[in-house]
Amino acid sequence: MGEPGLIPLAMAAPLGEVGLLQRAQALGFPLAETWVEGLWEEFSRLNNLPDRLGRLFQGVFGVRVDEERLLLAAEEAQRAVRESYLLPERAEAFLRTLGPGGFLLRRAGEEGFHKASGAQEALFALKRLWAEAFRVEAILARFPNLLAQPAPVLVQRAGGAEEDPFLSLDLSRALGQPVVAYAWEGHLVRIESSHGG
């Protein structure tokens, strides 16, 4: 996925919603400034998370799921992610790239987002999003892959996102497939599609 850090949307792998946002931008639709996070793999490796998390979940999945152990392991896994550290130079580059402003952080192709009033708060929101990948529901949804790479995290310069029916219609025509568009102050933020978004 290129160098770790925040990857400008145009340079990211065009998968799922990321690809739809790239196509919309290429077609001239105004898009909120968007980056794709590229820090998880390095963060996970340098904090030895694969081994640490693997040990937490030993004995949870057998002939049947030990629900009590799963709840405890998921809680500890989320704590391990939140309390681990980014390399200082990565954190500084993240803050420098974003600069001032309000941001939304969310997983591509998924509903819901975290709001951040500045770059530092966005960095904390990123770690919360990573930790959410270890909620019980998320773990069970990707079982048997405990550490499968979740959908990429998008960081966007926007204060919210509301469905825009007129933009949805225009974008559906331009893309040649039905989509639902969400915008903030006239800028496209999210594309929802049954074909990948």
Side-chain angles (χ1 to χ4, degrees):
M1 193 193 249
E3 287 297 313
L6 287 175
I7 302 160
L9 178 69
M11 298 174 63
L15 304 172
E17 186 189 2
V18 172
L20 289 174
L21 289 168
Q22 289 170 333
R23 287 177 57 201
Q25 189 173 39
L27 289 166
F29 286 88
L31 193 72
E33 191 172 10
T34 302
W35 298 268
V36 178
E37 166 272 315
L39 293 164
W40 168 254
E41 187 178 332
E42 180 183 75
F43 172 81
S44 174
R45 180 175 40 82
L46 292 179
N47 286 285
N48 198 28
L49 288 176
D51 289 340
R52 290 169 58 198
L53 298 175
R55 283 193 299 273
L56 283 174
F57 288 90
Q58 282 180 343
V60 171
F61 301 103
V63 174
R64 65 175 195 80
V65 176
D66 184 330
E67 293 178 11
E68 187 175 323
R69 288 178 77 175
L70 174 60
L71 290 170
L72 292 172
E75 187 176 303
E76 286 301 314
Q78 290 177 68
R79 181 177 297 118
V81 171
R82 286 192 309 269
E83 293 177 356
S84 294
Y85 293 95
L86 279 169
L87 288 173
E89 56 268 29
R90 297 289 187 239
E92 289 167 13
F94 182 97
L95 299 174
R96 196 170 45 249
T97 298
L98 291 184
F103 304 95
L104 297 182
L105 287 87
R106 63 187 182 83
R107 291 209 180 275
E110 296 181 11
E111 289 185 41
F113 51 80
H114 290 263
K115 283 187 177 184
S117 61
Q120 186 70 52
E121 194 176 319
L123 191 54
F124 296 141
L126 176 62
K127 288 180 74 176
R128 286 194 305 274
L129 267 170
W130 286 342
E132 285 176 5
F134 296 96
R135 289 178 295 115
V136 170
E137 301 80 14
I139 292 165
L140 292 175
R142 67 175 177 265
F143 180 77
N145 298 316
L146 179 62
L147 294 171
Q149 179 67 22
V153 173
L154 301 179
V155 181
Q156 299 177 292
R157 191 178 301 279
E162 293 187 10
E163 184 178 340
D164 185 324
F166 297 110
L167 181 58
S168 296
L169 183 60
D170 290 344
L171 194 54
S172 294
R173 287 180 181 148
L175 294 174
Q177 67 184 69
V179 297
V180 178
Y182 296 79
W184 172 255
E185 296 183 347
H187 289 81
L188 180 61
V189 172
R190 177 171 176 250
I191 302 174
E192 184 179 287
S193 167
S194 58
H195 301 294

